[in-house]
Amino acid sequence: MTSATTAAPTSMRSAAPASLPTEAPIHYWQGEFVDDAEAGRRLDVIEERVRAVLAEPRLSPLTVLAACDLLAAALRDPNSRQSEALKQELADSQISADEIERTLRDLAQALEREALEAKLLRELGGIDPGRLARFDFRREIFEGWLPIGLLVHVAPGNAPAAGALSVIEGLLAGNINAAKTSGGSRFTQLLLAELADLDPSGAIAARTIVLAFSSARTQWLAKLLAPADAVAAWGGEEALAGVAALVPAGCRLVDWGPKLSFAYLTADAWAEPTALRGIAADICRLDQQACSSPQLVYLDTEDPEQVVAFAERFAAVLAEAVTEFAPRAPELLQSAEISNTVLVAGLEEHLGLTRVHAAPDGSWHVLADLRSAMRASPLHRTVWVKPLPRTRILQVLRPMRRYLQTVGIGAERADTAVLAGQVLAAGAQRVTVPGQMLSSYNGEPHDGVYALQRYSRRVDVQLDERFTTDACLDDLVGARELTPPQVAVTAKTEFEQLQGDLSRAEVFFRSGGSSGAPKLSAFAWDDYHEHMRSGAEGLLAAGFEPRTDRAMNLFFGGLLYGGFLSFYSVLETLQAVQFPMAAQDDHALVARSIVEHRVDTLFGMPNYLLRVFTEGAVELRAYRGVRKVFFGGEHFPKAQQDWLRAEFGVELIRSAAYGSVDAGPLGYQCVHAPTRAHHLFSGLQTLEILDLDEDRPAAAGEAGRLVFTAHTRRGQRLDRYEIGDLGRWLPGDCACGRRTPRFELLGRFGDIFRSGSHFLNYRRFTTVAEEALGHRGALQLVLEEDGAANESLMVRLEVVDGSEFTADAAARAFLDGYAELAAAVERDQLVELRVELVPAAAFERTAGSGKLREVLDRRERNR
């Protein structure tokens, strides 16, 4: 969690949501509380309301994650408005203070971004599983997890948070959710209303309905279920049967029915105090109200004396544990069931079948039973102890396989593996150890299934060669851009301020230091894989063909290892043929390898690739097999590109991606993109183009600072990060058909500098050199001063084969082609212009990346 997300709920305490009721209305319907009469009227037209929402853009899981994370932060603050309201509602329902605290704490943990991200990744395979995207980049087949439609939740009355959490799962899957709760509590309604209030888009509210009514109102229940596409229901068998009878034909019924859990101990464990204390804690922690709470303890024995002796020892352990967990008194009917069960067990003592151990105040019961048959407990710290030799596990447990959930196995290491296999074969869904039966982990399946998959449907679209360069059909429909967070812009020089919490960072990349001091950028592995997937999608759009292209990765593998490793992974994601050679000093050797291995596609930095073509010119001209070049890290002048096309037969030259080590992939080119134009990776980033001097949007068509916010950066948050580049939005639609935003890169902040009384731009020098001189080599500017008022501007031009201009001719071309430069040099006479023609080795480059240092400002005032 970052400070940006935790601070937000604090600022919201002063005002309650406009829709929050003060009294009577108990139903929550799409953002407002309504009474019985209004709810009834809306039930009559619920199908119309559902269709209207389904026609809207799909709900992004990122929207749900953001709202849930804010609500989790509020629930962790006992003084927040949200916590106070929910605590009062639970207290009014006669819930104890300890249980209220536990409920809010567990909810906060369940709603944290990290927990929900893990759930999405485990259950649906990605952070935005609804995208219709390729699962195989070599085939025009698109798959995605789409919402099932209207998902009705028939929530349990004894677990106030269960219905709300199920609705949140339904929201993550993109569904419209209608929950039916019972009893007079408005806890579910209030919790979901608070969640919806934290979503500025209103999309969560539009997809949330909570109705509170008794199951005896079958007419209402029938109206609610009639348009349902799926129904998730809790309760006993009788209650579930009643719901099933009303579920329309073809509607998916997600049955969260009654389950039974038990502990299983071998002789090694039942004499171990730690194991016994763990089981006792599992029994007491929620008074056996959870499906994973043990209701029985099975012993790996057939000896009745061992069963009776263990029950006596365990009774003492349970008695001690009860004092630590503040037991909740059972209700009248529950108390009657416990009394009846204990009474019958006491009578069976006379038959030599049972032995009863009970607390004088009835706060716990241990019932030894010499019969192995599984039997449910009446709960509230009442547990059976029974014999079950491992040889009879399948025989005894398999008839109850529909009900088995969690087994806590206490045994030696080798026995644990064997016994786990046996109880799973008998039908159990979870296996753990004593003391951990109520624990869980993020992304854990529930009752043997993934809830999000039950709340979704897997769809596919199979298309033809017209979609060869498309990785995701959603990009042809529109872009879902998230609102940037309300935090200050962080400059590139302040990157370290974004590294306050690296608790989730797992992989670190070192920048080359070409635009500042080298630094480490932190990612989680999930970040990395998402970024590489996006990089693969962008490369497909740029014209890479994974079915046929044979690629050589020539990015630097030394200090600038990020580019090499990233494109290694991108090509792996594409399942393309790859020769990961990395940039080698022997350029001629690289050229020979290209020919030898029939490589037709190159990846690398422009200046390095040009060295390969220059020093391996004889072989590569004869080969003429390099058809595609994908570059990154530097500008690739048009003259140099034209040289590769004319001399070596290169057909396609594109940016491999626009990105950086610190921010990851930012943009990609399509086959129709002009030289500096890129589509935004809108699934990863939100882009703002801000005024050069103020933190406000730049005017339409004007240059501004590029500021990025990463949607799902886990290793470190990247909120409103100023990347150091300049750009402008491109209007209109792209000829490729994608609707993702487009922007044009206009260089880096350092490309614009003041010399004399004018602001000059490095890019204007390269344009003049290319267009007026036909220059296709490197260009570097050196700014110096002589101690007086005047200063000098040196233009270094690389000497390349075929250059036919002199230094004087070049200087004249710059003055004629760049009016502002001519004004500073000839009119104002404040700047001395010089041109040098030098070999490639004379240019200064960054030590880590080998990138050309385009502007060297050696003036005393700028040091």
Side-chain angles (χ1 to χ4, degrees):
M1 301 292 289
T2 67
S3 59
T5 54
T6 54
T10 304
S11 63
M12 299 176 188
R13 292 180 197 154
S14 59
S19 60
L20 204 62
T22 56
E23 43 188 45
I26 61 171
H27 310 294
Y28 179 76
W29 196 297
Q30 295 179 307
E32 57 182 327
F33 280 82
V34 299
D35 59 19
D36 244 30
E38 178 61 21
R41 285 190 289 270
R42 296 187 183 192
L43 264 178
D44 290 335
V45 293
I46 187 172
E47 172 62 20
E48 295 177 19
R49 288 176 170 265
V50 167
R51 286 199 301 266
V53 177
L54 290 176
E56 297 175 358
R58 178 172 55 86
L59 173 63
S60 169
L62 296 170
T63 299
V64 182
L65 290 176
C68 286
D69 205 31
L70 291 174
L71 183 54
L75 294 179
R76 285 194 299 270
D77 178 1
N79 298 317
S80 72
R81 176 182 52 73
Q82 293 90 341
S83 290
E84 293 287 357
L86 293 170
K87 282 190 293 187
Q88 185 60 54
E89 188 64 33
L90 289 173
D92 292 345
S93 300
Q94 308 304 311
I95 305 297
S96 69
D98 288 340
E99 188 166 349
I100 291 173
E101 182 180 352
R102 176 188 59 76
T103 297
L104 296 188
R105 182 179 65 248
D106 291 349
L107 274 171
Q109 184 176 353
L111 296 178
E112 286 180 346
R113 176 183 286 269
E114 183 175 357
L116 296 180
E117 284 176 347
K119 187 174 187 66
L120 280 165
L121 288 167
R122 288 293 307 280
E123 301 191 22
L124 298 181
I127 205 68
D128 193 4
R131 298 175 74 239
L132 283 170
R134 296 193 190 208
F135 65 90
D136 182 345
F137 284 92
R138 298 168 298 182
R139 307 171 71 186
E140 288 86 5
I141 301 176
F142 305 82
E143 289 188 1
W145 287 101
L146 293 188
I148 201 165
L150 174 61
L151 173 60
V152 175
H153 311 258
V154 182
N158 63 344
L165 291 176
S166 185
V167 168
I168 289 168
E169 289 176 325
L171 289 168
L172 286 171
N175 291 295
I176 304 165
N177 298 268
K180 177 239 178 252
T181 66
S182 57
S185 173
R186 298 183 303 170
F187 180 83
T188 301
Q189 296 93 307
L190 293 179
L191 180 67
L192 293 173
E194 296 289 1
L195 178 69
D197 189 59
L198 293 172
D199 167 31
S201 74
I204 290 178
R207 289 164 176 80
T208 305
I209 300 169
V210 186
L211 304 178
F213 62 93
S214 167
S215 296
R217 298 178 70 175
T218 55
Q219 186 178 12
W220 265 38
L221 186 57
K223 287 183 178 181
L224 183 61
L225 297 180
D229 297 290
V231 176
W234 288 257
E237 292 191 343
E238 183 178 349
L240 290 175
V243 172
L246 296 173
V247 171
C251 178
R252 181 183 300 177
L253 178 61
V254 182
D255 174 357
W256 304 117
K259 299 297 178 183
L260 196 153
S261 300
F262 62 89
Y264 189 92
L265 304 179
T266 65
D268 298 310
W270 75 54
E272 173 57 50
T274 302
L276 272 58
R277 287 195 294 270
I279 297 171
D282 288 335
I283 292 170
C284 295
R285 187 166 291 123
L286 295 179
D287 293 331
Q288 295 175 293
Q289 297 298 301
C291 292
S292 56
S293 300
Q295 299 186 38
L296 305 91
V297 177
Y298 273 125
L299 304 181
D300 182 18
T301 183
E302 291 182 294
D303 187 344
E305 293 184 3
Q306 290 181 324
V307 174
V308 172
F310 172 84
E312 184 174 359
R313 291 200 313 276
F314 184 66
V317 176
L318 184 59
E320 183 178 350
V322 167
T323 63
E324 300 174 8
F325 285 92
R328 180 183 178 186
E331 296 177 0
L332 182 60
L333 291 178
Q334 296 169 331
S335 181
E337 183 183 3
I338 295 170
S339 298
N340 183 60
T341 301
V342 173
L343 177 62
V344 173
L347 293 174
E348 289 182 330
E349 284 192 26
H350 301 292
L351 301 176
L353 298 174
T354 60
R355 185 71 58 84
V356 175
H357 301 275
D361 61 358
S363 59
W364 58 264
H365 302 86
V366 176
L367 310 177
D369 188 338
L370 304 183
R371 295 160 293 190
S372 297
M374 178 166 278
R375 183 174 179 183
S377 157
L379 310 182
H380 289 280
R381 303 164 305 282
T382 301
V383 62
W384 294 98
V385 177
K386 290 171 171 277
L388 180 59
R390 66 182 69 189
T391 55
R392 298 181 59 216
I393 284 177
L394 277 169
Q395 175 190 342
V396 171
L397 298 183
R398 182 165 164 73
M400 299 292 288
R401 59 188 177 277
R402 289 180 51 206
Y403 305 99
L404 300 183
Q405 197 210 58
T406 301
V407 181
I409 295 178
E412 290 291 330
R413 183 168 175 268
D415 277 344
T416 298
V418 172
L419 293 169
Q422 291 196 32
V423 297
L424 291 173
Q429 305 291 352
R430 299 175 69 235
V431 173
T432 183
V433 296
Q436 298 297 319
M437 293 181 66
L438 275 66
S439 300
S440 64
Y441 57 88
N442 293 338
E444 181 180 15
H446 182 66
D447 289 351
V449 298
Y450 284 139
L452 294 185
Q453 290 187 3
R454 303 298 302 278
Y455 292 175
S456 306
R457 54 196 174 97
R458 188 68 172 173
V459 301
D460 67 87
V461 179
Q462 304 174 44
L463 299 175
D464 53 30
E465 65 277 359
R466 292 174 299 161
F467 297 86
T468 296
T469 63
D470 293 303
C472 176
L473 293 184
D474 295 50
D475 292 344
L476 301 176
V477 178
R480 293 175 300 150
E481 297 183 78
L482 298 185
T483 303
Q486 299 299 309
V487 297
V489 173
T490 300
K492 192 175 185 70
T493 55
E494 301 169 337
F495 179 74
E496 287 74 14
Q497 295 181 11
L498 300 173
Q499 296 185 312
D501 179 10
L502 299 182
S503 59
R504 299 180 66 186
E506 295 158 333
V507 57
F508 295 82
F509 287 92
R510 182 183 186 274
S511 77
S514 58
S515 55
K519 49 185 169 288
L520 288 179
S521 189
F523 298 81
W525 279 116
D526 287 335
D527 300 335
Y528 180 76
H529 294 310
E530 285 173 10
H531 287 186
M532 296 308 103
R533 164 77 195 193
S534 292
E537 292 186 0
L539 204 54
L540 195 73
F544 183 83
E545 176 50 83
R547 285 172 285 207
T548 57
D549 290 350
R550 296 171 62 83
M552 181 172 283
N553 184 351
L554 292 173
F555 280 102
F556 285 86
L559 289 177
L560 194 69
Y561 54 86
F564 176 74
L565 290 180
S566 294
F567 280 97
Y568 176 92
S569 297
V570 165
L571 291 167
E572 178 186 22
T573 302
L574 288 163
Q575 296 180 280
V577 172
Q578 175 182 189
F579 296 86
M581 192 168 187
Q584 306 289 325
D585 291 336
D586 191 339
H587 303 98
L589 169 65
V590 173
R592 288 194 297 273
S593 297
I594 291 171
V595 177
E596 178 184 352
H597 298 298
R598 296 178 292 110
V599 170
D600 57 23
T601 304
L602 301 182
F603 288 81
M605 292 175 58
N607 75 82
Y608 180 82
L609 294 177
L610 289 169
R611 297 274 69 75
V612 171
F613 279 98
T614 299
E615 296 186 25
V618 173
E619 288 181 278
L620 292 176
R621 279 196 184 97
Y623 174 52
R624 291 188 73 83
V626 177
R627 297 181 300 105
K628 300 178 183 179
V629 170
F630 293 98
F631 66 91
E634 295 178 315
H635 172 58
F636 207 147
K638 182 179 181 298
Q640 295 173 343
Q641 295 187 28
D642 292 342
W643 179 65
L644 293 183
R645 292 187 178 98
E647 295 290 325
F648 303 97
V650 177
E651 300 169 4
L652 177 70
I653 302 175
R654 289 284 175 198
S655 165
Y658 166 54
S660 69
V661 174
D662 42 8
L666 304 171
Y668 64 93
Q669 288 200 317
C670 66
V671 294
H672 296 278
T675 303
R676 296 181 175 276
H678 288 77
H679 289 265
L680 178 68
F681 277 120
S682 56
L684 289 179
Q685 311 278 356
T686 291
L687 169 61
E688 302 170 83
I689 299 183
L690 302 182
D691 183 80
L692 294 174
D693 298 316
E694 300 179 27
D695 289 346
R696 57 177 176 80
E702 293 297 319
R705 298 170 290 134
L706 303 188
V707 175
F708 290 90
T709 294
H711 294 170
T712 59
R713 187 75 172 267
R714 304 165 186 83
Q716 67 178 103
R717 292 300 305 159
L718 212 67
D719 293 330
R720 304 196 78 198
Y721 177 53
E722 189 176 81
I723 194 68
D725 288 336
L726 302 174
R728 67 182 181 93
W729 290 117
L730 291 177
D733 295 329
C734 183
C736 73
R738 293 176 181 83
R739 307 295 294 275
T740 49
R742 295 184 303 146
F743 59 97
E744 181 184 13
L745 294 175
L746 300 175
R748 298 192 62 77
F749 290 176
D751 290 349
I752 298 177
F753 56 91
R754 189 183 186 99
S755 185
S757 59
H758 294 272
F759 284 101
L760 303 177
N761 190 331
Y762 171 85
R763 300 299 169 193
R764 292 285 300 276
F765 285 89
T766 62
T767 299
V768 171
E770 291 174 17
E771 295 178 354
L773 302 173
H775 178 61
R776 56 181 174 81
L779 184 153
Q780 188 172 65
L781 303 180
V782 183
L783 305 175
E784 296 179 315
E785 57 190 3
D786 57 11
N790 290 350
E791 56 186 64
S792 68
L793 192 161
M794 169 76 73
V795 182
R796 290 177 175 172
L797 296 174
E798 180 185 359
V799 177
V800 296
D801 292 342
S803 297
E804 297 181 352
F805 54 83
T806 64
D808 290 341
R812 189 68 258 165
F814 286 121
L815 292 170
D816 291 343
Y818 197 169
E820 289 82 1
L821 174 67
V825 174
E826 296 181 323
R827 188 193 69 190
D828 301 338
Q829 297 185 1
L830 296 176
V831 178
E832 178 188 0
L833 175 66
R834 291 182 292 158
V835 175
E836 283 188 351
L837 306 181
V838 298
F843 288 87
E844 294 191 30
R845 303 181 184 275
T846 60
S849 65
K851 289 183 183 180
L852 177 71
R853 296 183 62 188
E854 297 173 337
V855 180
L856 302 176
D857 194 341
R858 293 172 176 166
R859 293 172 294 183
E860 185 68 29
R861 62 177 178 269
N862 289 332
R863 290 181 182 176

